Amino acid sequence: MTKLLPATPDNIHRAAAVLAGGGLVAMPTETVYGLAADAENDAAVRAMFAAKGRPADHPVIVHLADRALVDDFAADVPPAARKLAAAFWPGPLTLVLIRGSRISDLVTGGLATVGLRVPSHPVAQALLREFGGPLAAPSANRFGRVSPTTAAHVLSDLAGRVDLILDGGECSVGLESTIVDCSAAGAVGNALRGVPDLRGVPDRQGVPASVAILRPGAITADQIAAVLQSPIAESAAAAPRVPGSLPSHYAPRARVELVSAEELLPRAMQLASSGEKIAVLTRQRPDIGDQQVAWLPIPADHAEWAASLYGLLRQVDELGCDAALATLPVEAGIGVAIADRLRRAAGPRSP
Ligand code: TXA
Ligand code: MG
């Protein structure tokens, strides 16, 4: 049975006890809701993978209460990672580092690296402190589906599969954390570069050790470059290097088509006239008097668009639409992350 409880101090206390007993707790973070398990309890981590329906070779992020704990869980923390942690933790940033000995193969999917994050959400913070250890937490959705940004989203995906959901309201960022790979920027990463079976440390033989963005998010490439005082590639959307990632990640059931602003109305009418139920994600109400077309309004502000995107994609399915039409934002700031998620939602589906 899944309990859905408001994130009061009493219930956070209760949730910490569930985690200590090897149970699963869905917790709000500033990005999306996470499905938390004791990262040092293999049985709990296995149960978490099973609840999500997630393949075992897909690594999960380990959440820590404080950036001072990073050395307990990473074997090699290069200066670039320390600078980024000091600038952005707690917050929506995950650092990929060479893993420490306390991190099990189950958590990393056998990789030599681990993704670490210190979330800023007060409920996640309180739970991490009360629990007193690292929490492995992927997004609290069924594998391959849209990440949850409310407790109700979690319930609709994981009812009966998670012991307790802490309701902390809507997530403020609404897109998953920016993932920055620093694993090749330190001494150990350098020594290991080019080792063929070392999955997770990108093969950068002949390429200078560098820091790379694996997944864009609310912390932008410009912000990262400013802290590191060197430019950083924004290549994630074109060439995702996150192991095990599928193109159709973050997708609703409905088909998603990305179109230009000019194509949007003609395409919507064409599909509707062929009998499909269509949703259009646009800022202004489209001028179509057709019942087969549902309008899901997009906020003008990019941060608000990011925060509402997953809720809108879920609504597309709730409305029973066959397809959703959307336009891409200008790819600057968090617009890069919005465009990345929309492209993945529109990407080829696995069978
Ligand atoms: O905002 C977030 O990051 C949320 C909240 C709950 O913290 N978590 C999240 O987790 O999005 P998940 O498991 O849905 O996505 C984590 C991504 C996966 O694509 C995974 O491949 C990547 O992080 N990842 C984890 N560890 C990694 C590693 N060692 N190397 C490369 N990628 C890694
Ligand atoms: Mg996820």
Side-chain angles (χ1 to χ4, degrees), residues 31 34 54 58-59 61 63 113 117 138-139 176-177 179 215 242-243:
T31 57
R54 181 170 178 141
H58 203 105
I61 294 170
H63 296 69
T113 56
R117 176 160 110 81
S139 51
E176 304 82 354
S177 58
I179 303 181
R215 180 174 72 185
V242 178

Side-chain angles (χ1 to χ4, degrees), residues 29 31-34 52 54 58-61 63 94 96 111 113-115 117 137-139 141 147 175-177 179 200 214-215 242-243 245 250:
T29 83
T31 57
V32 300
Y33 275 73
K52 260 193 83 93
R54 181 170 178 141
H58 203 105
V60 296
I61 294 170
H63 296 69
T94 295
V96 172
L111 298 178
T113 56
V114 62
R117 176 160 110 81
S139 51
N141 51 287
S147 293
L175 298 179
E176 304 82 354
S177 58
I179 303 181
L214 301 186
R215 180 174 72 185
V242 178
S245 74
Y250 317 105

Side-chain angles (χ1 to χ4, degrees), residues 206-256:
V207 178
S210 65
V211 168
I213 297 180
L214 301 186
R215 180 174 72 185
I219 308 277
T220 65
D222 284 350
Q223 287 176 287
I224 291 164
V227 168
L228 298 180
Q229 295 183 301
S230 68
I232 182 158
E234 236 172 346
S235 60
R241 267 184 295 191
V242 178
S245 74
L246 301 169
S248 70
H249 237 83
Y250 317 105
R253 280 186 190 81
R255 195 171 82 245
V256 176

Side-chain angles (χ1 to χ4, degrees), residues 44-90:
V45 173
R46 276 200 192 91
M48 178 266 285
F49 273 85
K52 260 193 83 93
R54 181 170 178 141
D57 64 351
H58 203 105
V60 296
I61 294 170
V62 174
H63 296 69
L64 307 173
D66 195 292
R67 69 168 177 262
L69 295 168
V70 69
D71 292 287
D72 292 358
F73 299 96
D76 181 26
V77 185
R82 290 203 195 275
K83 284 186 201 163
L84 294 174
F88 301 117
W89 277 353

Side-chain angles (χ1 to χ4, degrees), residues 8-9 24-25 41 69 80 84 87-88 98-100 106 128 168 181 229 233 235 249 263 311 318 331 334 343:
T8 60
L24 304 180
V25 171
N41 177 338
L69 295 168
L84 294 174
F88 301 117
I98 301 292
R99 77 189 215 199
L106 280 179
L128 280 160
D181 185 353
Q229 295 183 301
S235 60
H249 237 83
E263 283 168 328
E318 284 156 19
E331 290 183 57
I334 198 170
R343 286 202 184 91

